[in-house]
Structures are given as C-alpha cells and as structure tokens.
Amino acid sequence: MTVIAQNLVWGVRRKTIVANVSLALAEGETLGLIGPNGSGKSSLLRLLAGLKAPQSGRVEILGRDIAHVPRRALARQVAFVQQNAATDTNLSVREVVRLGRTPHRSALSGWSAADEAAVSAALARVDMVDRRAQAWQTLSGGERQRVHIARALAQSPSVMFLDEPTNHLDIHHQIEILRMVRNIGLTSIVALHDLNLAAMFCDRIVVLHTGAVVASGLPQAVLTETLLRDIFRVEAEICTYTQSGRPHIRFKAG
Ligand SMILES: Nc1ncnc2c1ncn2[C@@H]1O[C@H](COP(=O)(O)OP(=O)(O)OP(=O)(O)O)[C@@H](O)[C@H]1O
Ligand SMILES: [Mg+2]
C-alpha cells in the first residue's frame, strides 16, 4: 500500500473533526473523497499531507510514518493542492510553477535541465504554456487553480492530494484535470463535490460524514439513492453507464 491512514483522530477543543479515519491506497489508485460541507475532507487531507499532526493515529506514505520524515523529504514525494490556495507574492505563472521544484534543489545546485523539463511538462498538462509570463495575480480563478495544479505536478511527486481541484474550472478543464489525475499514474486522493465527476474518474470513493467514514468502495457500490438521501440530503435516481458500469446520478428537481 502506498498511503495508509490508521485511526486518525483530530479536533479542536472538545469538537472532534476527524473521527477515527482509516484508509489505504494501492500504488496508482485514485481515491475520491466526498462528503457534505464541513464533513472533514480538508482536515483529513491536511493530516494525510503532514500539515497537521493527528491527536492519535498514524499516516504511512511509501512505507514510512510521515511523523518521522523531514518536511523537505516528504515534499519530494507528496504534493498537496489545497482548497482556495493563494500565492500572495507578485510572481509570474512560470515562477509559481518553478516553486514546485524547491524540495528537489539544494542551496548549491543551479537550475537543472530536469527542473526545466518538469516545469514545462507541468505547464503543458494544465494548458498554461502560453500564459507562462503572465502575472499570477492577473489570472482568472480557474487559471489560478490550474497553475497551482501545475506547481504540484512540477514537484514530481509519487502521491498527490487535491482538495476540490475542479473548483472554478470550466467543464472542459474539470474533465481534463481529473482525466489527467487518473491517467498520470500517481497515487492520488481527490476531494470533490461533483459526485458525478467522482463516479466517472475515481477507482474508489470514501464518504465522510461528521468526520467519520460512512461508506467506501467502488463508485457503483457507494453511490446509492439511500446514501444520497441520508448523507447528502438530496433525492436522486442512479443510472448506470452500460459501457463502463459506472453510476450516473440524476438529481430530482423536486
Ligand atoms: N482550526 C479549526 N478550528 C475550528 N473548527 C475547525 C477548524 N478546522 C476545521 N474546523 C471545522 O471542522 C469542520 C470540518 O472542516 P473541513 O474544512 O475539514 O470540512 P470540508 O469537508 O473540507 O468542508 P467543505 O466541503 O466546505 O470544504 C468544519 O465544521 C470546520 O468549521
Ligand atoms: Mg474542504
């Protein structure tokens, strides 16, 4: 297993926000993390990425407990695209993506051909090559999101965590980004609100509700009318695509 979380617990004061979460991902797997607002998706991803320490439980990535891996070494293996991430300095698109190379460079080494190749490939993957000289501050919301994804890709990680990466993206780029995440061969966890996109692109889905895992498995096993009613509080009908066997949710207008 490439990512293992065991009995993660985290909270503030007396409020438990991540309640005994365990999960495991095989190499190359894309796991969808879904759940209503406030269910703990972002908090869980921050624990998995090592940005916060759990009150109990442990996270193992590529065979090592991340509590014992230095931050820089962890950043060579794990990239995290945070929800509503901002870059507040006055950098160009290319300079933001170059930051992704930081964990791979030492104080003495210059900018290498491998660094340049990783940055160029990352910009191409998110369709931003033509915009590389533009100031990040002047980008649209969706363009900013794509640049942050490029920065994570430039990190050349083995594991990628993405918190609502399709936020602000037009439908073409939503599909392109998720197709890329699935096809690139990385082990990834993607928090998503669009349940149909989760059904289309994820190998497995984990459902969080008030900090706890309430369902996990193949999209067709997890996304049931009952779950949509009980956890997401919507009425819907589930259809199945004949070719892929994947579910498609038709929400009822009322
Ligand atoms: N540092 C904190 N202090 C107090 N409450 C917090 C803190 N961090 C998170 N919470 C609360 O924990 C709950 C889970 O937050 P989290 O951001 O993980 O949810 P989420 O599933 O990512 O939601 P969304 O879909 O809206 O992004 C929320 O109710 C949030 O207000
Ligand atoms: Mg969130």
Side-chain angles (χ1 to χ4, degrees):
M1 287 289 159
T2 301
V3 178
I4 300 173
Q6 284 173 338
N7 306 107
L8 291 177
V9 176
W10 181 79
V12 278
R13 290 175 290 278
R14 258 170 294 164
K15 186 178 180 213
T16 301
I17 293 169
V18 175
N20 204 30
V21 170
S22 297
L23 51 83
L25 271 88
E27 190 183 347
E29 207 176 7
T30 301
L31 181 77
L33 189 58
I34 64 173
N37 289 141
S39 55
K41 301 179 297 297
S42 298
S43 305
L44 174 60
L45 288 177
R46 285 197 285 268
L47 294 176
L48 293 171
L51 296 190
K52 268 194 308 229
Q55 283 153 359
S56 63
R58 63 199 291 273
V59 178
E60 202 178 279
I61 293 181
L62 298 163
R64 294 171 74 192
D65 184 334
I66 64 165
H68 304 132
V69 179
R71 184 158 289 262
R72 196 178 155 81
L74 192 62
R76 286 196 284 269
Q77 298 175 326
V78 179
F80 184 20
V81 180
Q82 294 213 60
Q83 185 173 14
N84 305 321
T87 298
D88 48 20
T89 43
N90 205 12
L91 299 177
S92 68
V93 164
R94 190 169 171 280
E95 286 164 338
V96 172
V97 178
R98 279 173 69 123
L99 291 174
R101 298 303 299 165
T102 309
H104 294 280
R105 303 175 63 211
S106 72
L108 299 175
S109 69
W111 186 252
S112 72
D115 293 326
E116 191 58 41
V119 168
S120 300
L123 282 167
R125 281 207 183 267
V126 301
D127 207 8
M128 288 295 285
V129 175
D130 297 346
R131 317 299 284 280
R132 60 187 178 274
Q134 191 172 336
W136 188 86
Q137 302 283 14
T138 65
L139 297 176
S140 75
E143 290 165 351
R144 288 180 178 195
Q145 183 71 356
R146 278 151 56 202
V147 170
H148 279 134
I149 293 166
R151 174 182 169 164
L153 291 171
Q155 229 172 302
S156 308
S158 306
V159 174
M160 190 136 117
F161 300 127
L162 301 108
D163 197 351
E164 297 186 35
T166 54
N167 222 344
H168 305 298
L169 299 193
D170 64 56
I171 188 65
H172 169 79
H173 286 106
Q174 289 184 30
I175 290 175
E176 281 300 299
I177 290 294
L178 290 176
R179 186 181 285 141
M180 184 266 298
V181 167
R182 184 190 62 187
N183 292 345
I184 200 170
L186 296 178
T187 308
S188 50
I189 303 184
V190 192
L192 287 170
H193 276 300
D194 188 320
L195 306 183
N196 278 316
L197 287 178
M200 278 168 74
F201 290 104
C202 298
D203 299 313
R204 280 190 302 127
I205 289 178
V206 162
V207 186
L208 280 187
H209 181 54
T210 58
V213 175
V214 291
S216 74
L218 296 176
Q220 51 268 47
V222 166
L223 294 169
T224 63
E225 289 167 18
T226 311
L227 178 115
L228 291 170
R229 185 179 302 124
D230 293 350
I231 305 299
F232 290 92
R233 301 189 294 160
V234 290
E235 293 297 321
E237 186 184 344
I238 313 284
C239 316
T240 305
Y241 286 115
T242 39
Q243 268 197 331
S244 64
R246 287 177 184 263
H248 176 75
I249 304 163
R250 287 218 305 242
F251 297 100
K252 294 182 183 165

